[in-house]
Amino acid sequence: MTTITKKPDNPIAHLTPEDIEQLGYELDAIRQDVLDDRGDRDAAYIRRVIAVQRRLELGSRAVLLGSALPPLWVLGTIGLSISKILENMEVGHNVLHGQWDWMRDPKIHSTTWEWDMASPAEQWQHSHNEVHHNFTNIVGKDNDLGYGIMRVDEDQRWVPAYLLQPLWNFVNACFFEYGIAAYDLELGRNLRIPKDRRPAEFQRNVKKVLGKIRRQATKDYVVNPALALPFGGFLPTLAANFVANLVRNLWSHSVIMCGHFPEGVETFELAAIPDDETRGEWYVRQMLGSANISGSPLLHLMTGNLSHQVEHHLFPDLPSNRYQEIAPRVRALFDKYDLNYCSRPMPQQVYSAWHKVVRLSLPNGWLATTDRSNLASQLKLLWAMSTKGPKVRRAAQARLDQQARKLATA
């Protein structure tokens, strides 16, 4: 992984400006076909999903009233976990993208919907819809790439603190909704500003986030457990809500990682993006900066159809149930223009993404040049790079680069 402009073999070098613009026209045609065809069956789909999700949540919470009995605790926790995943992935994420605004239903509209996440909808829409989708996989600009806490490209200077990024990423996965809220607030950047100079908007947004978290915590960890109190289920219900939130967070984190971070997904430099980026150029960046998860219709539903991350990034405002339909046409364009359509089963994408997290937590080339025979000396080198100054790190990195080059030409 390195920014596309610094790769020895640029994956779009064979495309002329005319090719890129023609590709844009062909993708626009796919989008327009869906816009012209959407209607009653799409509206029926989202209303059906919302109805199923709400009934599943209500039924699971009713079962958890008897959560003092282990079978009911297991059944209720599984149901609540699934309902939270559906609410977050297929309903909340897609409604807040405006995918269903054309229905003109005030109850299913991006301006009125509030979801079961720590981020208030309005703040998430800014950081996700406006920033992430416009600056997809641009290093230092797109917070969805590494969530602002990880090294995401070899060209980023390695420092010893990055050794802990697999741990930070796992913690972020467990409490993902709060991690999203933190970078929606640009918390790290704003906390570095003296308190009396922080923007008033930041202070207002912090209050909104804390208010949202308080309401969620009250619902999940006070009200619902209290309802089970007469049946001896206060603590089991509290635990069930915690587990359901944990499962939802781990699942959504995995889906997002699969869509943005596996091997084969490209990254970009902000300086290399023209100020007058054309529609075709923007499309190409979405195509190369996203990855899909292959699988069953149930998998697509449970990922909020973000298993079609490529199609979602190309057309974020189209109804999610249409991504599977248009995927073959999109893939045909990848083939036509000789571009890499990155798609693998979920276990492979998860492994690939985590492998990259670990690889980039280490100095460039360390993992590739390490095997059983030289593990002791490589660990000694890593220790020196971690405990000594920049001069030692530069010299050791030069040694690793030389070893990697020899390995590549062997």
Side-chain angles (χ1 to χ4, degrees):
M1 184 183 195
T2 192
T3 53
I4 191 172
T5 50
K6 294 186 178 180
K7 285 195 167 185
D9 298 312
N10 190 320
I12 60 172
H14 61 288
L15 297 180
T16 66
E18 292 75 20
D19 290 333
I20 292 174
E21 294 317 300
Q22 180 59 34
L23 174 58
Y25 297 143
E26 294 180 66
L27 286 168
D28 278 340
I30 294 174
R31 179 175 184 273
Q32 191 60 48
D33 286 346
V34 177
L35 293 178
D36 292 342
D37 185 57
R38 69 186 178 185
D40 290 345
R41 72 182 178 100
D42 302 292
Y45 170 80
I46 190 60
R47 289 191 172 108
R48 184 168 62 251
V49 172
I50 292 172
V52 168
Q53 184 275 322
R54 289 176 174 171
R55 289 168 186 163
L56 182 59
E57 179 177 3
L58 183 61
S60 298
R61 292 195 182 281
V63 168
L64 286 172
L65 294 175
S67 60
L69 299 174
L72 294 182
W73 185 90
V74 171
L75 181 62
T77 301
I78 291 173
L80 187 59
S81 300
I82 294 172
S83 76
K84 282 179 173 285
I85 288 171
L86 282 173
E87 192 280 336
N88 181 204
M89 305 298 290
E90 181 66 333
V91 181
H93 172 273
N94 296 327
V95 170
L96 292 177
H97 260 296
Q99 292 180 7
W100 310 99
D101 286 1
W102 57 273
M103 294 165 53
R104 302 187 185 281
D105 183 341
K107 295 180 180 179
I108 311 175
H109 200 277
S110 62
T111 59
T112 59
W113 191 270
E114 192 55 76
W115 59 347
D116 184 32
M117 288 283 282
S119 286
E122 184 180 7
Q123 291 182 35
W124 179 85
Q125 285 173 312
H126 168 72
S127 64
H128 186 82
N129 297 0
E130 297 176 27
V131 178
H132 167 60
H133 275 270
N134 282 319
F135 299 100
T136 303
N137 276 29
I138 296 177
V139 178
K141 187 69 175 178
D142 179 8
N143 271 341
D144 273 34
L145 183 65
Y147 314 119
I149 61 173
M150 295 194 298
R151 182 177 183 239
V152 297
D153 194 90
E154 285 93 339
D155 286 333
Q156 291 178 283
R157 182 172 59 90
W158 183 86
V159 294
Y162 284 127
L163 289 171
L164 293 175
Q165 81 175 26
L167 173 61
W168 301 143
N169 194 44
F170 177 71
V171 172
N172 187 42
C174 292
F175 302 97
F176 191 44
E177 61 177 314
Y178 304 110
I180 292 173
Y183 77 69
D184 284 353
L185 290 168
E186 296 184 298
L187 191 62
R189 181 179 68 83
N190 280 294
L191 289 182
R192 287 192 292 270
I193 301 173
K195 189 173 183 179
D196 59 342
R197 294 172 55 190
R198 291 173 191 162
E201 183 181 12
F202 170 69
Q203 307 286 4
R204 289 193 295 270
N205 287 340
V206 168
K207 290 181 180 179
K208 290 179 182 177
V209 169
L210 292 177
K212 184 80 184 293
I213 291 173
R214 182 170 57 250
R215 290 191 295 274
Q216 279 187 281
T218 300
K219 177 191 71 175
D220 282 346
Y221 303 126
V222 178
V223 174
N224 283 293
L227 291 174
L229 188 61
F231 309 98
F234 181 89
L235 290 178
T237 300
L238 187 150
N241 277 271
F242 177 81
V243 170
N245 284 323
L246 176 64
V247 170
R248 185 268 314 278
N249 288 337
L250 289 170
W251 177 260
S252 56
H253 178 273
S254 295
V255 171
I256 300 304
M257 286 279 289
C258 288
H260 298 99
F261 212 61
E263 302 289 354
V265 174
E266 305 292 347
T267 56
F268 307 87
E269 290 181 291
L270 183 60
I273 307 299
D275 293 334
D276 57 348
E277 184 179 39
T278 67
R279 181 72 168 171
E281 290 169 334
W282 181 85
Y283 271 140
V284 168
R285 185 156 53 80
Q286 307 308 313
M287 294 167 79
L288 298 181
S290 309
N292 281 5
I293 305 168
S294 58
S296 67
L298 178 60
L299 174 76
H300 299 321
L301 174 66
M302 295 300 291
T303 63
N305 278 286
L306 293 183
S307 48
H308 296 100
Q309 189 73 247
V310 173
E311 289 72 24
H312 172 64
H313 268 269
L314 290 171
F315 313 116
D317 59 343
L318 292 186
S320 58
N321 59 307
R322 294 302 191 99
Y323 291 147
Q324 189 172 4
E325 294 178 16
I326 64 175
R329 295 176 65 186
V330 171
R331 187 160 194 164
L333 289 179
F334 274 80
D335 294 339
K336 177 180 178 180
Y337 290 92
D338 194 22
L339 299 172
N340 176 40
Y341 188 85
C342 184
S343 180
R344 305 181 187 97
M346 190 166 189
Q348 292 181 30
Q349 292 290 47
V350 170
Y351 172 80
S352 179
W354 273 97
H355 182 271
K356 186 179 288 184
V357 170
V358 173
R359 178 168 65 80
L360 291 173
S361 74
L362 298 161
N364 291 347
W366 189 91
L367 199 60
T369 58
T370 301
D371 55 34
R372 289 183 181 180
S373 64
N374 68 355
L375 179 59
S377 61
Q378 289 289 89
L379 287 173
K380 184 177 179 181
L381 180 68
L382 182 60
W383 176 258
M385 294 181 74
S386 303
T387 58
K388 299 183 180 179
K391 186 175 180 180
V392 171
R393 283 202 292 273
R394 285 193 296 269
Q397 186 61 66
R399 176 180 166 185
L400 285 172
D401 291 341
Q402 183 180 37
Q403 290 176 346
R405 285 193 295 270
K406 287 181 179 179
L407 188 65
T409 57

